[in-house]
C-alpha cells in the first residue's frame, strides 16, 4: 500500500487524529468512527450502502480462551450513522466452519439462518447477507463500499481490463454474483490467486478494501476511490460529449421550481394509485445533465447496476414526454395527459415481474414508478416517507454518476433483468420488509399548519409529526418559524414564512410544501389573534384586522390548499381551529366572536362542497388555552380578566372552574383533537365541531 496522504482530490479526508487517539485500543470504537466518516461522504457510499468490519481477540465466556470475533454492520444498517447497537459480533472460526455444511448456490438462503449460530455478542443486530464476504478475508479492518467512481468501472463493459490496468494488478476482479455465502468464498479464492493485493472489485457492485488498522483501511479506501475518480475525470468528454451532449436546455432555476411545484401534486396522485406516497424534487446539475442529454432515451431504460441502487429506485425511471415549459394551469388536463405514461409503466413493471418471477417469489409490489425524470426541469421521487424518497433520489443520482463514468471509459452495462429481479424479490429481502415496524397513523401524510411556530399550532405540528406525518411549519415571523423547524429531525419538517392575509405568501408556502414533500394532505388553520373590547372601544381597524386574519385568512389558505388536494385526487383534511366563542356570547367580544362564528360556519359550508371529493372539513373549538399562546399575552388577557372582574393571574383557575370537568386546557389537548380528525379513526366524519373546553354547557352544539 502506498504511503498515507491527507490530500485527496475527489473525496473528503475526515480523519481526526485527536479523536482517533482518544479511541486508541478500542478497535470496535475505531470501526464505528471510520464507518461514520466514510458514510459522511456520498461520493464514497450512500445511505444504507456498503458494509464495514473489524476483527478483535476476545475472551470466550464459556471457555475463557481467546477467540477471534468479527464485528460487522448488521442487517439494514447505515455506516454513516452506525452505533454499537447496530453491529453484529460473531465467532469468526464458527462462521468460516459453515463452509463444511454449505450445499452450493441453490441453497444460499439457508446459510443466513446459520449465521445466528455464530453469534458471540448476544446483543448483536441480525447479521447481514454480507457477513461471509468479510469473514473469509483475513484482514483486521475491511471496507465494502459503493463509491460511484468504482461502480462506474465495475459496471462498464471493459471493467475487468480497466481495473487491472489502472491499479496495476493491485485490485483483483470478481465477476457479478449476488451477495451471499458463495461470494464470500469467491473473495477468499481471489485473494489466494492474487496474494499481496490491496482490494477487490466486484463486477457491477462495488469495492472491497482493507488494512491492518482502522486508519490504514481508511486511507487505502480513499486512495483507491480517488484513483478511480481521477481516471474518470481524465476521460469525461474525451471520446464524445458527456451523455452524447445536451439536446435541450434547462429552464432557469426559479422557473424549474415553479414548474415542479405545480406538477408535483399531479404526479403524487398518479404515483399513489396503490398507496399514498411522499415526494421529493431535485434539479441537481448532474440530474439535468442526464435528463437533457441525447443518451437519456438509451440509458434510462437499461436500469441500474448496483443492487442498492435499484432496490430503492426500482429497475428504471419514468421519463416524462412533457415540454419543460408546459402550461400546467389546468391540472385535470395535465393529469389526463400523463395517465397513459403511468399506465404504461405499471404494465411494463407487471411484465417484468411475470417474466422473471420464481415459483416462490413474493407477490408483486406497487408497480408505480419511484423515480420520475422531467427533461429541462429535474427529477421527482415518490416513496412511503420523506427519508425513503430522498434516499431514492440520492441513489438515482449515484446511478447517473455510474452511467456517466462507465460511458466515459467504456460502455455502461446494467445487470441482466433476471439478476435484478432475483435481488428485488429475494426472499431474504422480503423477510426484511416484513420485519419493519408497522407504519404510524399519519405516515405518508403531509400537514401544513398555519401559525405553527408556537402555541397551539406548534403543539399540533408536534403531535402530527410524532404520529408519522411530515409537517410544514408556517408563521408570519420567519425567524420563529425557522427556530420551530429546527426542533424536528431531518426529513420530518420544513418551514415557510406565511402571512395568511397575503395570497402570494400563501402560494409560496404551499409551493415549498410541494417541492419538499410532493403536496399536502392536511391543512390546519391555526393562525390567529384576539382583541377584547366593547363595541364602543372597537375601531374599524380592529374589525378589519380580526376579520382579515381569522376569516379571510382561513378562506385564502383553504382555497389554496384545496387546489392542491384536488390536483392529487387523494382526498384530504381541512381542520379549522376556531373557538368556543363561535358558539357562546360573551362581553367585550363582538368582532372576535363574530369572526370565529364565521370560521365555524365556513367549515360547514366547505364540508358540504368538498365532501364528494373525499375532502373532510372539521372544526376544533378550544377555550382558554393560555399555555404558550401569544394571544394571551398583553391586552387580550387583560381585557378578558377585566370582563370577568378578576386579575390576569387568576384567569387559568377561573376558566377551569367554570367547566364541567374543572380542567385547565393545554395546547396538547387541541393537538389531540386535530389528530382525532386526521389520524384515521374519524375518516368518515366531516362538517363536525369538536369542543375541547373542559365542558362548557353554553357551548354544546346541540
Amino acid at each position: 500500500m502506498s504511503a498515507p496522504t491527507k490530500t485527496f482530490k475527489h473525496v473528503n479526508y475526515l480523519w481526526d487524529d485527536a479523536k482517533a487517539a482518544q479511541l486508541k485500543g478500542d478497535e470496535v470504537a475505531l470501526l464505528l468512527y471510520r464507518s461514520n466518516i466514510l458514510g459522511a461522504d456520498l461520493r464514497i457510499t450512500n445511505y444504507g450502502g456498503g458494509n464495514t468490519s473489524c476483527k478483535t481477540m476476545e475472551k470466550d465466556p464459556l471457555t475463557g480462551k481467546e477467540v477471534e470475533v468479527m464485528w460487522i454492520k448488521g442487517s439494514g444498517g447505515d455506516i454513516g450513522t452506525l452505533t454499537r447497537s447496530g453491529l453484529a459480533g460473531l465467532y469468526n472460526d464458527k462462521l468460516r466452519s459453515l463452509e463444511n455444511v454449505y450445499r452450493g448456490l441453490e441453497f444460499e438462503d439457508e446459510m443466513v439462518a446459520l449465521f445466528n449460530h455464530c453469534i458471540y455478542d448476544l446483543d448483536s443486530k441480525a447479521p447481514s447477507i454480507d457477513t461471509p464476504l468479510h469473514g473469509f478475508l483475513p484482514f483486521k479492518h475491511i471496507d465494502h463500499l459503493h463509491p460511484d467512481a468504482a461502480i462506474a468501472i465495475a459496471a462498464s463493459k471493459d471493467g475487468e481490463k480497466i481495473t487491472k490496468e489502472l491499479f496495476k494488478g493491485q485490485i483483483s476482479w470478481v465477476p457479478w454474483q449476488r451477495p451471499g455465502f458463495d461470494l464470500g468464498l469467491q473473495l477468499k479464492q481471489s485473494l489466494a490467486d492474487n496474494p499481496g493485493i490491496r482490494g477487490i472489485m466486484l463486477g457491477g457492485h462495488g469495492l472491497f478494501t482493507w488494512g491492518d488498522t482502522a486508519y490504514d483501511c481508511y486511507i487505502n479506501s480513499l486512495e483507491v476511490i480517488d484513483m478511480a475518480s481521477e481516471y474518470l475525470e481524465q476521460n469525461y468528454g474525451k471520446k464524445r460529449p458527456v451523455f452524447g451532449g445536451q439536446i435541450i436546455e434547462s429552464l432557469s432555476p426559479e422557473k424549474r421550481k415553479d414548474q415542479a411545484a405545480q406538477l408535483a401534486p399531479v404526479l403524487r396522485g398518479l404515483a399513489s394509485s396503490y398507496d399514498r406516497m411522499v415526494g421529493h424534487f431535485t434539479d441537481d446539475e448532474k440530474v439535468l445533465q442526464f435528463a437533457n442529454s441525447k443518451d437519456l432515451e438509451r440509458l434510462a431504460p437499461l436500469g441500474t447496476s448496483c443492487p442498492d441502487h435499484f432496490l430503492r429506485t426500482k429497475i428504471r425511471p419514468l421519463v416524462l414526454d412533457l415540454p419543460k415549459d408546459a402550461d400546467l394551469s389546468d391540472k385535470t388536463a395535465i393529469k389526463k395527459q400523463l395517465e397513459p405514461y403511468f399506465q404504461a409503466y405499471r404494465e411494463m413493471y407487471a411484465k417484468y415481474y411475470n417474466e422473471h418471477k420464481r415459483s416462490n417469489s413474493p407477490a408483486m409490489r406497487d408497480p408505480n414508478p419511484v423515480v420520475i425524470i422531467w427533461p429541462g426541469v429535474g427529477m421527482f421521487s415518490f416513496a412511503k416517507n420523506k427519508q425513503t424518497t430522498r434516499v431514492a433520489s440520492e441513489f438515482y443520482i449515484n446511478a447517473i454518476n455510474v452511467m456517466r463514468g462507465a460511458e466515459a471509459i467504456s460502455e455502461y452495462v446494467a445487470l441482466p433483468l433476471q439478476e435484478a429481479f432475483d435481488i428485488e424479490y429475494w426472499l431474504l429481502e422480503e423477510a426484511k420488509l416484513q420485519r419493519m415496524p408497522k407504519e404510524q397513523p399519519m405516515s405518508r401524510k403531509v400537514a401544513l399548519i398555519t401559525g405553527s411556530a408556537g402555541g397551539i399550532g406548534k403543539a399540533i405540528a408536534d403531535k402530527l409529526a410524532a404520529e408519522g406525518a411530515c409537517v410544514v411549519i408556517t408563521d408570519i415571523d420567519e425567524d420563529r418559524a425557522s427556530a420551530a423547524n429546527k426542533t424536528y429531525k431531518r426529513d420530518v419538517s420544513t418551514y415557510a414564512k406565511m402571512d395568511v392575509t397575503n395570497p402570494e405568501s400563501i402560494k409560496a408556502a404551499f409551493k415549498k410544501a410541494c417541492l419538499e414533500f410532493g403536496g399536502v394532505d392536511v391543512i390546519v388553520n391555526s393562525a390567529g389573534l384576539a382583541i377584547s373590547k366593547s363595541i364602543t372601544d372597537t375601531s374599524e381597524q380592529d374589525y378589519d384586522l380580526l376579520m382579515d386574519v381569522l376569516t379571510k385568512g382561513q378562506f385564502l389558505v383553504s382555497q389554496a390548499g384545496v387546489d392542491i388536494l384536488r390536483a392529487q385526487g387523494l382526498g384530504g383534511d381541512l381542520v379549522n381551529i376556531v373557538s368556543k366563542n363561535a358558539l357562546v356570547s360573551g362581553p367585550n367580544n363582538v368582532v372576535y366572536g363574530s369572526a370565529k362564528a364565521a370560521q365555524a360556519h365556513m367549515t360547514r359550508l366547505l364540508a358540504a362542497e368538498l365532501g364528494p371529493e373525499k375532502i373532510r372539513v372539521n372544526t376544533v373549538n378550544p377555550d382558554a388555552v393560555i399555555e404558550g399562546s401569544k394571544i394571551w399575552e398583553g391586552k387580550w388577557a387583560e381585557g378578558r380578566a377585566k370582563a370577568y372582574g378578576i386579575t390576569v393571574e387568576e384567569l387559568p383557575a377561573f376558566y377551569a372552574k367554570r367547566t364541567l370537568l374543572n380542567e385547565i386546557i393545554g395546547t396538547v389537548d387541541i393537538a389531540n383533537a386535530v389528530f382525532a380528525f386526521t389520524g384515521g379513526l374519524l375518516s368518515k366524519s366531516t362538517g363536525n365541531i369538536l369542543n375541547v373546553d373542559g365542558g362548557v354547557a353554553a357551548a354544546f352544539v346541540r
Side-chain angles (χ1 to χ4, degrees):
M1 184 171 66
S2 59
T5 174
K6 294 185 179 182
T7 302
F8 296 96
K9 185 176 179 181
H10 302 282
V11 289
N12 296 326
Y13 176 90
L14 298 174
W15 191 274
D16 184 328
D17 290 332
K19 173 70 173 177
Q22 294 175 0
L23 306 175
K24 188 174 182 181
D26 188 341
E27 294 300 310
V28 176
L30 285 167
L31 163 66
L32 294 173
Y33 176 63
R34 182 179 92 244
S35 302
N36 293 164
I37 60 177
L38 286 170
D41 189 341
L42 292 181
R43 292 168 296 183
I44 290 175
T45 201
N46 209 310
Y47 181 85
N51 210 321
T52 49
S53 69
C54 76
K55 300 182 182 75
T56 63
M57 298 304 294
E58 307 287 348
K59 182 179 288 188
D60 188 326
L62 298 181
T63 66
K65 295 181 179 179
E66 291 286 304
V67 293
E68 186 178 62
V69 173
M70 182 173 72
W71 304 90
I72 184 168
K73 184 195 83 172
S75 178
D78 166 53
I79 65 172
T81 56
L82 188 63
T83 63
R84 183 73 179 237
S85 64
L87 292 174
L90 302 95
Y91 291 96
N92 209 35
D93 60 343
K94 291 185 178 182
L95 179 67
R96 290 172 177 168
S97 72
L98 293 180
E99 185 176 359
N100 298 323
V101 298
Y102 178 53
R103 298 196 291 158
L105 278 171
E106 190 177 344
F107 304 96
E108 275 281 336
D109 290 4
E110 70 182 20
M111 301 304 293
V112 176
L114 295 178
F115 296 165
N116 293 320
H117 291 282
C118 307
I119 294 292
Y120 166 83
D121 178 16
L122 298 183
D123 293 326
S124 282
K125 187 84 170 177
S128 80
I129 193 67
D130 282 343
T131 300
L133 281 65
H134 292 246
F136 282 112
L137 294 174
F139 309 102
K140 288 186 177 180
H141 290 266
I142 299 174
D143 292 334
H144 167 38
L145 303 171
H146 294 161
D148 295 345
I151 301 178
I153 296 171
S156 66
K157 184 178 179 180
D158 301 308
E160 184 174 4
K161 177 184 176 185
I162 292 169
T163 297
K164 182 177 181 180
E165 294 176 353
L166 173 62
F167 297 104
K168 297 179 172 45
Q170 287 296 296
I171 302 291
S172 67
W173 176 275
V174 172
W176 160 259
Q177 186 169 306
R178 189 172 68 171
F181 199 85
D182 192 75
L183 185 56
L185 297 177
Q186 296 290 336
L187 298 188
K188 175 184 176 183
Q189 187 61 49
S190 183
L191 182 63
D193 293 342
N194 301 276
I197 57 174
R198 63 189 297 188
I200 300 173
M201 189 77 77
L202 303 182
H205 186 162
L207 176 70
F208 265 82
T209 41
W210 47 73
D212 291 331
T213 69
Y215 180 77
D216 290 342
C217 184
Y218 178 70
I219 291 297
N220 189 24
S221 297
L222 293 195
E223 285 184 350
V224 172
I225 296 167
D226 206 53
M227 288 174 66
S229 301
E230 180 62 22
Y231 176 69
L232 298 183
E233 193 67 33
Q234 292 173 358
N235 281 278
Y236 287 129
K238 194 172 182 179
K239 296 188 304 179
R240 60 196 289 266
V242 174
F243 289 133
Q246 304 292 283
I247 58 175
I248 66 170
E249 292 185 10
S250 298
L251 295 173
S252 67
E254 193 54 42
K255 185 62 177 176
R256 292 199 298 266
K257 288 180 172 56
D258 285 341
Q259 290 290 86
Q262 288 190 71
L263 191 63
V266 177
L267 296 178
R268 186 182 183 216
L270 291 167
S272 299
S273 65
Y274 275 62
D275 208 342
R276 192 182 302 262
M277 297 294 178
V278 174
H280 178 80
F281 172 75
T282 179
D283 55 354
D284 182 282
E285 62 181 27
K286 295 174 183 176
V287 169
L288 292 171
Q289 185 182 55
F290 180 63
N292 300 345
S293 73
K294 179 180 179 181
D295 287 350
L296 174 69
E297 186 176 355
R298 173 175 63 88
L299 293 175
L302 294 180
T304 55
S305 58
C306 179
D308 273 34
H309 293 178
F310 62 74
L311 277 174
R312 290 167 173 83
T313 66
K314 274 207 170 74
I315 189 63
R316 67 185 64 161
L318 169 62
V319 177
L320 298 179
D321 184 12
L322 183 69
K324 61 187 179 183
D325 54 358
D327 181 359
L328 304 176
S329 57
D330 187 342
K331 300 297 189 294
T332 301
I334 288 295
K335 183 175 182 178
K336 186 175 181 180
Q337 181 180 344
L338 295 181
E339 277 177 339
Y341 294 98
F342 279 79
Q343 185 56 35
Y345 189 96
R346 295 176 195 125
E347 291 172 359
M348 175 280 296
Y349 188 83
K351 183 172 183 287
Y352 156 74
Y353 175 86
N354 289 321
E355 289 183 352
H356 299 96
K357 66 181 179 181
R358 308 285 186 174
S359 59
N360 60 348
S361 293
M364 187 178 78
R365 304 186 190 113
D366 187 339
N368 281 297
V370 171
V371 175
I372 301 171
I373 295 173
W374 187 5
V377 178
M379 182 174 76
F380 303 85
S381 55
F382 292 94
K384 65 179 181 178
N385 56 42
K386 177 63 178 183
Q387 184 194 57
T388 305
T389 190
R390 173 182 57 79
V391 168
S393 178
E394 291 173 358
F395 266 102
Y396 200 77
I397 293 175
N398 287 123
I400 289 172
N401 292 339
V402 168
M403 289 185 277
R404 180 173 179 259
E407 288 287 307
I409 58 175
S410 177
E411 180 182 334
Y412 172 69
V413 179
L415 282 184
L417 288 181
Q418 187 63 61
E419 292 290 335
F421 180 89
D422 288 344
I423 290 282
E424 184 176 357
Y425 282 90
W426 197 355
L427 291 178
L428 294 177
E429 191 67 30
E430 177 68 12
K432 187 189 298 184
L433 293 175
Q434 295 301 323
R435 289 195 301 269
M436 296 186 72
K438 182 181 178 182
E439 291 189 32
Q440 294 175 279
M442 297 295 292
S443 180
R444 302 175 181 265
K445 290 188 177 181
V446 180
L448 183 146
I449 306 103
T450 68
S452 48
I456 291 174
K458 180 62 164 63
I460 293 168
D462 288 346
K463 175 63 178 177
L464 300 187
E467 297 292 347
C470 296
V471 294
V472 183
I473 303 299
T474 71
D475 199 271
I476 195 168
D477 185 330
E478 186 170 6
D479 290 339
R480 287 186 78 222
S482 175
N485 181 60
K486 291 175 182 176
T487 64
Y488 302 101
K489 294 180 180 179
R490 186 182 186 185
D491 298 321
V492 171
S493 67
T494 190
Y495 76 95
K497 179 179 180 179
M498 181 195 278
D499 177 353
V500 299
T501 69
N502 185 324
E504 288 304 311
S505 177
I506 295 168
K507 180 181 177 182
F510 277 107
K511 175 182 176 181
K512 187 88 176 279
C514 291
L515 289 173
E516 291 281 349
F517 302 123
V520 68
D521 305 287
V522 177
I523 298 125
V524 183
N525 285 296
S526 180
L529 78 162
I531 298 173
S532 175
K533 294 180 181 179
S534 68
I535 189 169
T536 302
D537 294 333
T538 301
S539 67
E540 185 177 350
Q541 184 180 11
D542 293 334
Y543 180 93
D544 289 342
L545 179 60
L546 283 167
M547 288 296 180
D548 279 353
V549 172
L550 299 178
T551 309
K552 183 180 178 181
Q554 178 176 296
F555 167 76
L556 291 175
V557 171
S558 299
Q559 186 180 55
V562 166
D563 283 346
I564 293 173
L565 296 179
R566 282 175 166 160
Q568 293 171 159
L570 302 172
D573 284 281
L574 294 174
V575 181
N576 299 321
I577 308 303
V578 186
S579 170
K580 171 219 64 177
N581 291 288
L583 301 171
V584 177
S585 301
N588 299 344
N589 202 20
V590 60
V591 184
Y592 181 78
S594 296
K596 288 296 178 182
Q599 283 185 279
H601 193 51
M602 193 187 301
T603 295
R604 292 186 283 261
L605 294 167
L606 289 180
E609 179 178 342
L610 302 174
E613 298 171 81
K614 305 297 183 184
I615 299 172
R616 298 171 292 275
V617 192
N618 291 288
T619 288
V620 173
N621 277 343
D623 183 38
V625 181
I626 299 174
E627 166 203 359
S629 173
K630 290 191 74 176
I631 287 177
W632 286 91
E633 296 173 4
K635 293 184 178 180
W636 170 259
E638 293 172 6
R640 299 323 293 157
K642 182 179 178 181
Y644 296 120
I646 59 176
T647 66
V648 170
E649 290 73 24
E650 293 173 312
L651 277 172
F654 171 81
Y655 281 120
K657 287 178 181 177
R658 75 180 187 180
T659 69
L660 298 174
L661 300 177
N662 193 25
E663 293 281 1
I664 293 175
I665 308 302
T667 56
V668 69
D669 300 313
I670 313 307
N672 287 337
V674 173
F675 174 62
F677 275 129
T678 60
L681 292 178
L682 297 179
S683 61
K684 297 180 181 178
S685 178
T686 191
N688 286 324
I689 291 176
L690 180 54
N691 289 337
V692 186
D693 55 12
V696 177
F700 289 175
V701 179
R702 292 184 177 87

